[in-house]
Amino acid sequence: MVQVCFVFVTCFFLAGIVSSVDFPRVSTKLGDINGVYSTVSFKNREFKVKRFLGIPYAMPPVGKLRFKKPEPVEILSPNPFPADTFGSPCAQVDMFGQKIAENSLTEDCLFLNVYAPHQDPDKVTGHAVMVFIHGGGFSLGTGNTYIGDRLASVGNVIVVTINYRLWIWGFLDFNDERAPGNMGLWDQQMALKWVNKYIESFGGDKDRVTIFGQSAGAISVGLQALYPKNKGLFQNVIAESGSPTVMSLVKNINENIQPAAYLAQLLNCRTENNEQVFECIQKSDSESLFKAFKIALADPRLFWNIMFTPTIDGEFLKSSPVKLVEQAKTDAPAEVEFFRSLSFINGLNGDEGGMWIQMIDGTKESYEDLKLSQEDLDDNIIPSILPLVTASRVKDSNVLKSLISSKYKDWKTPYEPKNIAKQAVKLLGDIYFTVPGIEIGRLHVNGPNSGSYLYRFTAGVERHPIPTPSWMDLGNHADEIGPVFGYHLDFDWFGGIKGEYSPPEWEWNLSERMMTFWTNFAKYSNPNGQDGSNSWPKYTIDREHYLNFDRRDHVGQYLHADEVDFWRKIVPMVEEQCHDDKLSAFSRKSSDTCDAEGGCN
Ligand SMILES: *[C@@H]1O[C@H](CO)[C@@H](O)[C@H](O)[C@H]1NC(C)=O
């Protein structure tokens, strides 16, 4: 009798404890994982969400595994694994002036976070899953900034955010096993394999996975979608402001040895051959590499010398996406066929070029007052972008410079410095985002599968993740991230969106519309939902419809067709003409001569 009572009391007591430290637990083949509950509200509705934070999805890429492809985690320790705090962000560099604590440069960083709704899933097979790949120029950022629980609750999906290796740690390429290149992309893929293997334990449906990303994250989802061996890991793709068809983005291997050699010099190493360069980088800890970066960054002209981006490694990337677009005009390579088997939402913001303002004039305290003269545009900005956007045989051509200058001149108010700055923003936005963005959309829709959608985001939101002057009012780069995540972000670099920030009511409404489209797409491969109302018409090859997000959304057609024609048809034609037509009278008479070998200057 006493015994029974004792047991009864103890059990009761234990149950009491359990409810006061209530936490969700899942059992996976890796071991048990203890998460935390959180409560979020959205437009006066309250939701309970399960968070599982800081789960290692790959072995720490340190020691022997540094600069190598990731290796999977087979068992979690301790068991149960406490998934109640974020894991470390990956070591990174402050390319865009955001603050990074030098003591936070951790190379053991391959963690992911799972946000699961408390509600029942929409299908017996489980919740649709959305995996977010963050941006930051392949050089900075962390999945931890993007708190997935509002999106997970309002849309009733599972949201996963991930870290992947960045900058030299993620993209050093020596063309052999010492550093095979694209480690950051392999990390992303390892996280997707993890989701495929284990997300069912969290209530997820592994056959309804959407990858979405912004900026370099959008370029990343594009690259993952062009890698046929990823078949089965995801079905839907959302690219927010980024395409792998940016010219000069994907590099040849030897091009990524150059920045490594340059850093080795700054580290006072001998750099007579690749062996010495590798040895130097391998023996330098993350703090030393970061310091070398800071030295190089002090001179903005050297910026491009220290960028590490994806490379044509012969495995993940067999040829450049720019070439694939060319090839696909006559015959679809396997990469393009895989891409076309997936459903695709592709989008661009109105003022994408805003992120380059810091680079136009990194010394300016106030972006608000940025003023440019026509000479700045003609003599500095246009010549600096020319080698990046044209075929390599024409590095410098006065004909092309004049053509671009004329196209981007503000002819209505030619002496208004602010408007010249606006034109520069447009030029940079076009070459880095707009034109490649439309190009990848057309590549996708040009096949038999047409689950293809395009959006434009022009909402002048109150707060911006990156510095934005008030005259830029059509949606800067990254402005859609707030609405997509229900404003649950931790962007404190620029005093952006963090904590309990609450935007104006029309933005909450915009956010609800966007989250509904995004999560419908994750569930049904159609942003309009199961029954497919047609408020967001499909993007088709002849009609090119898109949905424009703003205070009030509307449908438009043929977005940026003009700029795509200019950069992908007119510019190459002029370039070709200059190269081939050596005898043309105009090129002989002008300073724009083409030499006997056909090289132009
Ligand atoms: C926001 O949406 C609600 C309905 O959910 C509507 O009543 C309200 O007028 C909208 N507000 C604005 C500013 O658009």
Side-chain angles (χ1 to χ4, degrees), residues 43 504-509 512-513 551:
K43 289 182 76 175
E505 185 184 301
W506 71 267
E507 286 195 46
W508 282 121
N509 286 4
E512 187 170 34
R513 294 198 301 280
R551 281 172 189 256

Side-chain angles (χ1 to χ4, degrees), residues 222-431:
L223 291 169
Q224 297 292 346
L226 286 167
Y227 183 53
K229 289 195 175 148
N230 280 339
K231 192 174 170 59
L233 293 182
F234 51 87
Q235 291 71 38
N236 310 308
V237 179
I238 304 176
E240 302 173 24
S241 308
S243 162
T245 60
V246 178
M247 289 181 99
S248 310
L249 172 94
V250 169
K251 295 180 186 168
N252 295 314
I253 5 147
N254 55 350
E255 288 179 289
N256 255 7
I257 292 179
Q258 282 157 13
Y262 182 64
L263 285 170
Q265 272 175 29
L266 295 175
L267 289 159
N268 298 318
C269 294
R270 294 179 60 185
T271 58
E272 283 136 43
N273 54 48
N274 287 350
E275 276 55 49
Q276 288 176 348
V277 173
F278 184 77
E279 223 171 89
C280 174
I281 300 294
Q282 180 64 301
K283 74 164 202 272
S284 302
D285 61 15
S286 50
E287 283 78 10
S288 318
L289 292 166
F290 184 83
K291 280 185 188 131
F293 167 85
K294 296 293 271 188
I295 298 169
L297 194 68
D299 184 346
R301 284 167 308 169
L302 301 178
F303 183 83
W304 293 107
N305 293 1
I306 47 168
M307 284 282 275
F308 291 87
T309 54
T311 48
I312 299 165
D313 60 352
E315 192 180 0
F316 201 107
L317 272 158
K318 292 201 168 68
S319 69
S320 94
V322 175
K323 280 218 181 86
L324 289 177
V325 169
E326 202 51 46
Q327 262 177 281
K329 285 177 184 160
T330 49
D331 177 35
E335 289 92 332
V336 175
E337 256 177 40
F338 173 56
F339 180 39
R340 288 175 179 167
S341 74
L342 307 163
S343 295
F344 186 41
I345 288 181
N346 183 28
L348 295 163
N349 295 359
D351 279 325
E352 294 284 11
M355 71 164 292
W356 299 103
I357 280 195
Q358 287 145 290
M359 292 177 67
I360 294 172
D361 192 346
T363 59
K364 277 278 190 311
E365 281 291 290
S366 164
Y367 304 110
E368 197 62 34
D369 296 331
L370 176 71
K371 293 188 178 77
L372 287 183
S373 67
Q374 192 65 39
E375 289 70 40
D376 290 327
L377 190 57
D378 290 346
D379 302 340
N380 294 321
I381 297 174
I382 292 174
S384 75
I385 55 117
L386 206 54
L388 302 174
V389 295
T390 57
S392 54
R393 60 187 168 185
V394 180
K395 290 267 185 241
D396 188 28
S397 149
N398 287 332
V399 173
L400 281 180
K401 277 190 240 169
S402 306
L403 181 67
I404 296 166
S405 168
S406 171
K407 171 88 177 164
Y408 286 88
K409 189 175 165 117
D410 171 31
W411 289 102
K412 292 204 179 83
T413 50
Y415 301 107
E416 175 53 47
K418 200 158 274 181
N419 291 350
I420 297 170
K422 276 190 181 179
Q423 291 301 106
V425 165
K426 170 149 175 50
L427 166 66
L428 295 164
D430 283 349
I431 60 175

